[in-house]
Amino acid sequence: MLKKRRKLGEILYKRGVVPKEKLLEAIRISHQNHQKLGETLIQMQACNEDEITKALAKQYGLEYVDLDTTAIPDKSLKLIPDDLVKKFSVLPLGQENGRLKIIIPDPLNLDMLDMLRFRLNKELDCYLASPTKIKTYINRTMDEIKGSIDATSQELEAAGHTIEAQVRKIEAAGEQDDGPVIKLVNLLIDEAVHMRASDIHIEPMADRVRVRYRIDGVCIERDRIPKNMQAPLMTRFKILSGMDITEKRLPQDGRIKREIAGQDIDFRVSALPGYHGESMVLRILRPDSINIGITALGLGQADYERFMKIIKRPNGIFLVTGPTGSGKSTTLYSALIELNKPDKKIITAEDPVEYNVPGINQCQVNTDIGLTFEKILRSMLRQAPNIILVGEIRDAVVADIAIQAALTGHLVFSTLHTNDAPSAITRLVDMGVKPFLVASSIQAVMAQRLVRVICSACKVVDTHPDPHYLRLLDIKPDELRHHPVYKGAGCPKCSNTGYKGRRGVFEIMEMNNEIRELAFSRAPASDIRKAAKASGMKTLLMDGKEKIFSGLTTLEEVAEVSQTEGLVLE
C-alpha cells in the first residue's frame, strides 16, 4: 500500500515554520484566490521561499539543493543546451548511469519534465532549489561565460583570428535562428576581399571545416570552423548563390554579387560533393582587376612596345598561353579595353563571362541549350566585328573557325594551355589544324606566368641566396656582385609573407618567315624555340631574371615558373 503524501501546510506547521493561526488564514486565502499555498504564505511574509522549497522537497521525496553553497562544475553545465536552461529555469547537476541529475524549481510542472526528457533523450533524477536562486545562478553563470567569451573573442580578434572569434560568439549565443551563420558568412567574404584574396576555399574535413584564402596565388589557412557548423554554413552559401539547397550529391555552380567598400564584386561559386561533405570555392572577381592597364601587367619596355604593336594589327591571331591562374584573362581584357573605341566592334565568346566590360558584346557559352564556342563563333562572324575574343581554343573545330576569321580580316584573341610560346604552334598542329593555316594566321604567341612581388615595406637584400635556385636559374656569382638579389623579411602589411601583389613574367614570340616555314614543315617545338630566340625573343627565364635583378621578385618565385627551362639550359 502506497504511503499517503503529507500536505505542505502540515510539514511547515510540524517544522515550526508557520504558526497554526497563520497557516489556517493562508489556506483560506489561497482557496479564495485559487492560488498555491506556498505563494500565499510568501505574500503574507509568513515564511520565505527557501523554507517553502525545503518543505516541497520533503513532500515529494526530493533532495533540496542550496545554490548559495553549491557550485555546479563547468562540465556539468554543458549537459543541457543554454536555450533549455533559460526557457525552463533548470540547472544540470551531473550525470550518473545514463541518468541526468537536474535541479528544478517546481516538482508539479510535469509538462516541463516530459519536454526535457524528450529533448534530452534521458531519464531524469530531480533535485529541488529555490526558483529565485536558480534564476540568479543562471544569470550570474551566463554573465561570467559571456564575459569570458567576450574577453577571449577580443584577444582572438586582436591576434587576427577574426573568424574563430566570431565562431566563439555564435557558440556562446546559443541562438536557434540563422543570424549568427549569416554574420559568419559575411565575415568570411568581407575579410577575404580586404585581404586581396582571389579565392575562398571552404573544405570539410573529418573533424572540422578548413577555411583557406588564395592570396597572390598561394593558399593561406585561416581559422578553423567547428564541424557542427558545416551544414548551416554550406546552406547559407547555396542560398546566396542561387543553388538548390536540397541537392548534395551533384556539383553545382552559382554566383553572388555584393557591394563591399563601395565596389560591386562578383563571386563565382562552385560546390563539389566530397567524402566529408560538400566543399565550396568562391572565385572573387573584382572589376578593378581588369582595369589595371597594360603598363601595370609587368611588361618590360621592349616587350611592351612589341605587345602594343601586335594588338593594333588589323587581322591575325594573337594567342596568350599558360596554365590556369596565370593571368591570361587579365592580359586579354587589358588589350580589349585598350582597343575599345567607338570605331571598333568587339565580340567575345567566353565560358563563363567573368567581367562585364561596357562597350563590348559578350556572349556566354551554355552547353545545356547547345550554345557552344563553335555556334557562337559562326554566328558572331555575321555580326561584322573588327575584333573577336575566343575564351579558349579547345579543339580543332574552334581553332579552324578562329583561323578562318583571322584570314578573312578579323583580329582574333584567344588562349591556349601550353608551357611556352613555341609549343602553341605544335599544339595547334596536333589538334588537327593544317600547318599552312597555322603558319599563315598566327601573328604572335605570348606565354606568361605570375610571380609574387616583394613587399616594399620589408624588402631587404638576400645576403645568402639559395645555391639550388641560383643553379636552376643559371645565375653566376659574378652576376650577383653587380646585381644583388632581394627578399621580403615579412611584416604586418604583407601578413608576414614577404610578398604583396603579383606581376607577369612574359615570353613573346612574333612570327617571321623562318618560324612560319618551321610551322609549315611541322618542325618540333625545340627548333621553333631556337629560331624565336635567334630573332630576339626574350624567354620566361630571361624576363624573370631581369625582374629578380631589378628587385621586383625573388629567386624562388622565378624558379617556380621557369624551373623546367632552367634545368635544360642550352
Side-chain angles (χ1 to χ4, degrees):
M1 186 174 177
L2 291 173
K3 186 179 179 182
K4 188 176 179 181
R5 181 176 291 160
R6 293 168 66 189
K7 293 185 177 181
L8 179 65
E10 181 185 351
I11 296 170
L12 291 169
Y13 174 70
K14 289 196 171 180
R15 286 188 172 185
V17 175
V18 183
K20 186 175 181 179
E21 295 77 14
K22 281 276 185 184
L23 180 59
L24 292 172
E25 183 184 358
I27 291 171
R28 180 178 57 80
I29 294 172
S30 67
H31 285 161
Q32 286 177 350
N33 298 336
H34 304 288
Q35 194 177 31
K36 291 180 180 179
L37 178 61
E39 293 175 2
T40 304
L41 287 167
I42 292 171
Q43 287 175 1
M44 292 173 60
Q45 297 184 346
C47 57
N48 59 40
E49 193 177 68
D50 261 356
E51 290 168 333
I52 295 292
T53 305
K54 289 175 183 177
L56 283 170
K58 177 73 173 175
Q59 183 183 18
Y60 287 94
L62 301 177
E63 186 177 332
Y64 169 78
V65 177
D66 186 355
L67 289 173
D68 286 337
T69 57
T70 303
I72 299 174
D74 290 342
K75 63 178 182 179
S76 295
L77 287 170
K78 297 176 182 178
L79 294 172
I80 301 180
D82 292 344
D83 63 317
L84 294 182
V85 168
K86 292 177 183 176
K87 181 178 180 179
F88 296 117
S89 192
V90 295
L91 285 168
L93 191 59
Q95 192 169 227
E96 189 174 338
N97 298 325
R99 297 175 67 89
L100 182 66
K101 296 180 179 179
I102 186 169
I103 301 172
I104 60 173
D106 183 1
L108 294 174
N109 193 342
L110 302 179
D111 289 340
M112 174 196 73
L113 296 174
D114 288 340
M115 179 62 72
L116 287 171
R117 288 189 187 95
F118 175 75
R119 286 285 302 270
L120 300 172
N121 195 26
K122 288 182 183 298
E123 286 300 318
L124 306 178
D125 288 334
C126 295
Y127 294 75
L128 212 57
S130 158
T132 301
K133 287 186 178 180
I134 291 177
K135 286 182 181 178
T136 302
Y137 194 97
I138 290 172
N139 292 335
R140 184 174 70 246
T141 305
M142 292 300 175
D143 287 342
E144 288 174 359
I145 292 173
K146 188 177 182 299
S148 175
I149 292 290
D150 288 343
T152 305
S153 298
Q154 289 173 6
E155 291 174 7
L156 288 167
E157 286 176 354
H161 300 287
T162 51
I163 295 173
E164 188 176 345
Q166 181 63 26
V167 169
R168 292 288 186 93
K169 290 176 182 177
I170 292 170
E171 291 178 328
E175 297 179 46
Q176 299 300 305
D177 58 23
D178 296 330
V181 175
I182 292 171
K183 290 178 185 177
L184 178 60
V185 168
N186 292 342
L187 175 65
L188 286 169
I189 291 174
D190 292 348
E191 185 184 61
V193 171
H194 292 142
M195 291 181 70
R196 304 179 299 104
S198 60
D199 303 271
I200 305 172
H201 297 261
I202 315 292
E203 301 164 324
M205 304 183 81
D207 58 343
R208 61 189 170 94
V209 178
R210 181 169 67 174
V211 177
R212 294 193 293 173
Y213 299 153
R214 189 182 295 277
I215 301 173
D216 295 332
V218 177
C219 281
I220 297 173
E221 185 168 344
R222 295 296 292 164
D223 298 303
R224 303 171 181 182
I225 294 175
K227 188 71 174 175
N228 63 350
M229 296 186 68
Q230 177 179 324
L233 192 67
M234 296 302 177
T235 300
R236 179 61 186 167
F237 277 119
K238 284 184 176 182
I239 291 170
L240 286 175
S241 57
M243 296 182 189
D244 182 357
I245 62 172
T246 62
E247 181 57 74
K248 299 179 181 179
R249 300 168 300 169
L250 295 173
Q252 294 189 75
D253 294 304
R255 291 184 89 106
I256 300 172
K257 190 168 186 175
R258 284 172 62 90
E259 183 179 328
I260 299 175
Q263 187 179 43
D264 287 331
I265 297 178
D266 281 331
F267 299 82
R268 197 171 73 204
V269 187
S270 172
L272 182 68
Y275 185 75
H276 295 297
E278 290 174 292
S279 66
M280 195 82 67
V281 176
L282 285 77
R283 182 82 183 272
I284 303 173
L285 305 173
R286 293 179 176 82
D288 58 354
S289 65
I290 59 165
N291 294 320
I292 60 173
I294 294 174
T295 53
L297 294 174
L299 291 159
Q301 185 59 35
D303 281 343
Y304 172 76
E305 292 172 1
R306 190 175 297 149
F307 181 85
M308 294 299 292
K309 184 178 72 173
I310 291 166
I311 67 171
K312 290 182 178 178
R313 289 179 181 175
N315 55 51
I317 295 179
F318 177 41
L319 290 174
V320 179
T321 76
T324 302
S326 58
K328 301 186 295 296
S329 296
T330 300
T331 298
L332 288 179
Y333 273 115
S334 298
L336 291 183
I337 291 170
E338 176 71 24
L339 299 172
N340 188 18
K341 302 292 190 295
D343 62 333
K344 293 282 192 297
K345 176 156 185 172
I346 304 173
I347 304 180
T348 73
E350 305 171 65
D351 184 19
V353 173
E354 293 190 348
Y355 302 100
N356 180 34
V357 183
I360 294 179
N361 302 277
Q362 296 172 273
C363 189
Q364 180 163 310
V365 170
N366 188 344
T367 53
D368 292 340
I369 59 172
L371 189 60
T372 60
F373 272 121
E374 177 187 353
K375 187 167 285 189
I376 294 172
L377 282 172
R378 291 190 191 280
S379 299
M380 71 165 55
L381 292 176
R382 293 193 285 273
Q383 298 272 315
N386 301 103
I387 300 165
I388 294 170
L389 167 67
V390 183
E392 182 184 346
I393 294 179
R394 298 177 178 176
D395 52 46
V397 175
V398 174
D400 277 329
I401 300 171
I403 287 170
Q404 291 302 323
L407 294 175
T408 53
H410 303 86
L411 180 60
V412 180
F413 294 113
S414 191
T415 67
L416 203 62
H417 288 285
T418 60
N419 289 329
D420 56 17
S423 299
I425 304 298
T426 56
R427 175 70 185 278
L428 288 171
V429 173
D430 290 341
M431 277 185 183
V433 181
K434 293 180 175 59
F436 76 90
L437 291 176
V438 176
S440 56
S441 62
I442 302 293
Q443 293 292 337
V445 182
M446 182 170 81
Q448 71 175 69
R449 301 289 190 278
L450 291 177
V451 293
R452 290 184 291 174
V453 175
I454 300 171
C455 174
S456 58
C458 59
K459 182 177 175 181
V460 295
V461 175
D462 189 354
T463 54
H464 298 92
D466 193 325
H468 174 66
Y469 292 122
L470 294 174
R471 188 167 59 255
L472 281 177
L473 300 175
D474 193 35
I475 295 177
K476 306 293 189 294
D478 289 343
E479 291 180 274
L480 292 176
R481 294 192 188 100
H482 300 95
H483 303 286
V485 295
Y486 297 85
K487 66 178 181 179
C491 67
K493 287 188 177 180
C494 61
S495 301
N496 293 313
T497 62
Y499 298 98
K500 191 171 184 180
R502 288 192 291 177
R503 290 290 186 278
V505 175
F506 303 95
E507 176 179 281
I508 301 178
M509 182 185 77
E510 283 191 274
M511 299 292 280
N512 56 28
N513 290 335
E514 184 183 359
I515 296 174
R516 292 185 197 281
E517 285 290 335
L518 290 169
F520 182 73
S521 61
R522 296 175 180 265
S526 56
D527 290 350
I528 297 174
R529 185 174 192 79
K530 286 178 184 177
K533 289 175 70 175
S535 63
M537 180 185 80
K538 184 164 60 177
T539 66
L540 287 170
L541 177 61
M542 294 163 64
D543 191 39
K545 286 170 70 173
E546 285 186 7
K547 288 178 168 63
I548 289 172
F549 292 140
S550 67
L552 184 74
T553 190
T554 62
L555 297 167
E556 293 89 341
E557 286 294 300
V558 175
E560 188 173 332
V561 300
S562 59
Q563 191 177 102
T564 304
E565 184 188 357
L567 289 169
V568 291
L569 289 168
E570 299 168 3

